Amino acid sequence: MTERVLLVGGGGREHAIADALASDCTLYACASNRNPGIDRLADDFRALDPTDTGAVVEYAENVGATLAVVGPEGPLAAGLVDELEKAGVYAFGPKQAEARIETDKTFQRTFMADHGIPGQADFETFANTDAAADYVESVDGDVAVKPAGLTGGKGVRVTGDQVTKLEAADYVRSAGHDEWVIEERLVGEEVTVQAFVANGDVRVTPAAHDHGRAFEGDEGPNTGGMGSYSVPDRTLPFMTDADYEACVETLEAIVDALPDYRGVLYGQFMLTADGPKVVEFNARFGDPEAMNTLPAMETPLLDVLVAARDGDPLPDLEFADVATVCKYAVPEGYPTDPEGGTRVRVDGDSVGDADLFYASVDARNDGLYTTTSRSFAVVGTGETLADAQTQAGAALDDVGEGLRVRHDVGTDALLQRRIEHVRSLRDE
Ligand code: AMP
Ligand code: GLY
């Protein structure tokens, strides 16, 4: 039987999911933006709000979906997986209750504490803005200040790094959120480890490294992610095998404590002097990290989804021995004052030798235009990180006016800095 798979979401991550699935199934897709890459790969594409669970369920029923896969967190938070299941469609993604591991940071840290999950950071939770702000002003040491709910990766402020404590307290008072989590500031280098999870099985994927800050040299505000890389090994050059194993243990401990969890479980970790500490969990693939993981995965993604649905053991995963470098082109001013509306020159499914994944672009009669979110990504692949970086870099050398790129993602200079940083922390 040919599976009829409904893909929910229209970003670069979902384009990579579509690319991994399209040749093995009949693909349907829905998202609020008509992603031209997904549109080309899918048999049908419906523009709708993916957090409107009723609209997605109706579309799934209309196309006779035998499976669904949910990319972004918004629909997970809205309970889309629960509603699809009630309509008889198995969706690969956590139900609303399990998705709280991402969607509610108060739950995330409290759950870790209640279940003794390794990699915990010191934290306090607040249901009141003034109490949270007063705490930030008076606490010893630097902290990370986080609204408890979803903020698209842009809600966190770290003292001693981006802001002073007074600025962080002012931010808490003025940001318009009631619930806050205030954590110790973790010092080190960040890594992502993602796993496919279903029926208690956990299948981990190679580590990737995202660049959350807007500007080169890790400066500027946090973004949804400017680019990421992976190497032909499950670790990264500044990550030991023991670090990787510790990250996997943390993900497995979460699944032991949340046995109904299904979908992708994403762990972001800080490699500190004392080993990996949890920065956050996501209930889905990372964006951009999905664009490192899926193109290198040799096991068909469809096999994982079908095994999850049918209650079979998840397949062991095979990955090509390649390095990947993903770089996003974003509108000028992103993320604080993005200026959309410029014409995008890329077309088709590659730029030079790099693969092209579309994110938020607006298709008009005369071509594609930027919106106020990330526009498109290129992924270079090679035997070494240098090869992959050269390929991705060349694709974006002349990205055009109105767009910005972090050219330093995947470069040797930045990598050496991270290696030195972790070494210096651990030699002390
Ligand atoms: P999050 O939305 O929780 O991933 O946070 C966004 C970014 O803020 C992370 O990628 C880190 O760079 C930073 N961050 C979050 N929590 C901490 C922490 N406890 N210590 C240091 N940096 C953090
Ligand atoms: N790369 C960060 C995220 O997907 O949230």
Side-chain angles (χ1 to χ4, degrees):
M1 182 188 90
T2 307
E3 298 284 350
R4 302 163 73 85
V5 182
L6 172 61
L7 168 64
V8 179
R13 162 185 53 212
E14 288 77 25
H15 187 177
I17 295 173
D19 203 43
L21 286 174
S23 58
D24 296 330
C25 66
T26 307
L27 187 68
Y28 300 93
C30 60
S32 46
N33 59 310
R34 187 172 287 272
N35 179 313
I38 300 176
D39 198 13
R40 266 201 286 273
L41 291 165
D43 262 47
D44 187 59
F45 187 105
R46 177 68 55 88
L48 52 73
D49 172 3
T51 64
D52 179 347
T53 57
V56 180
V57 168
E58 191 186 335
Y59 183 55
E61 286 176 330
N62 285 346
V63 300
T66 56
L67 259 174
V69 52
V70 183
E73 61 276 21
L76 299 172
L80 178 60
V81 172
D82 311 57
E83 295 304 317
L84 282 167
E85 184 152 294
K86 280 185 208 152
V89 181
Y90 178 94
F92 190 70
K95 292 187 181 173
Q96 197 172 35
E98 282 80 29
R100 284 191 301 158
I101 201 72
E102 166 171 9
T103 61
D104 179 351
K105 288 189 197 284
T106 303
F107 173 81
Q108 184 177 98
R109 287 294 179 193
T110 313
F111 184 85
M112 285 186 75
D114 290 349
H115 293 272
I117 307 289
Q120 176 72 302
D122 290 340
F123 73 101
E124 295 286 338
T125 64
F126 297 89
N128 169 302
T129 298
D130 284 332
D134 291 348
Y135 176 77
V136 172
E137 276 173 353
S138 62
V139 67
D140 277 341
D142 283 311
V143 286
V145 171
K146 304 182 170 188
L150 292 176
T151 60
K154 298 167 200 127
V156 176
R157 300 289 181 278
V158 182
T159 75
D161 180 18
Q162 301 162 303
V163 293
T164 65
K165 278 199 191 157
L166 280 181
E167 286 166 341
D170 281 347
Y171 167 68
V172 171
R173 288 199 177 91
S174 63
H177 303 283
D178 292 330
E179 282 189 48
W180 293 85
V181 178
I182 315 293
E183 300 172 359
E184 69 173 299
R185 176 190 176 195
L186 302 168
V187 177
E189 292 293 337
E190 287 175 64
V191 297
T192 301
V193 180
Q194 305 164 102
F196 292 93
V197 178
N199 314 310
D201 281 349
V202 178
R203 297 284 183 269
V204 289
T205 69
H209 179 213
D210 182 23
H211 296 65
R213 303 289 283 272
F215 304 125
E216 282 170 18
D218 297 326
E219 301 288 339
N222 283 325
T223 70
M226 293 294 296
S228 48
Y229 60 83
S230 64
V231 298
D233 178 18
R234 59 188 193 152
T235 65
L236 292 164
F238 52 90
M239 181 186 203
T240 64
D241 279 331
D243 287 327
Y244 186 83
E245 289 304 334
C247 296
V248 173
E249 267 173 42
T250 294
L251 295 178
E252 288 177 342
I254 289 284
V255 176
D256 278 346
L258 271 183
D260 291 335
Y261 193 93
R262 71 188 196 212
V264 172
L265 179 61
Y266 166 117
Q268 188 171 14
F269 300 89
M270 191 74 82
L271 301 184
T272 71
D274 307 320
K277 295 273 171 79
V278 173
V279 174
E280 68 162 348
F281 295 109
N282 290 326
R284 50 168 174 88
F285 264 125
D287 187 349
E289 292 97 323
M291 290 180 277
N292 304 103
T293 309
L294 290 172
M297 191 163 104
E298 291 176 334
T299 311
L301 176 59
L302 186 69
D303 291 359
V304 179
L305 305 186
V306 168
R309 180 194 60 195
D310 295 348
D312 293 333
L314 295 185
D316 289 331
L317 303 180
E318 300 285 339
F319 288 88
D321 271 339
V322 291
T324 62
V325 173
C326 175
K327 299 193 193 216
Y328 253 120
V330 303
E332 284 292 356
Y334 173 85
T336 45
D337 303 294
E339 282 176 39
T342 33
R343 178 85 183 265
V344 171
R345 283 192 259 151
V346 296
D347 191 17
D349 54 16
S350 58
V351 186
D353 294 328
D355 289 326
L356 170 62
F357 294 101
Y358 292 94
S360 186
V361 283
D362 183 18
R364 301 185 193 166
N365 287 340
D366 62 341
L368 298 177
Y369 286 79
T370 60
T371 72
T372 53
S373 300
R374 293 177 291 181
S375 310
F376 63 88
V378 298
V379 177
T381 305
E383 275 181 30
T384 65
L385 188 62
D387 295 341
Q389 198 291 125
T390 304
Q391 202 180 70
L396 293 180
D397 249 358
D398 182 20
V399 65
E401 263 176 48
L403 286 164
R404 200 170 56 72
V405 174
R406 263 192 71 167
H407 292 286
D408 61 348
V409 172
T411 56
D412 192 51
L414 201 56
L415 186 61
Q416 290 307 325
R417 226 178 75 186
R418 302 199 193 287
I419 293 171
E420 279 307 313
H421 187 202
V422 174
R423 186 178 294 149
S424 71
L425 287 173
R426 293 182 169 181
D427 282 351
E428 273 170 13

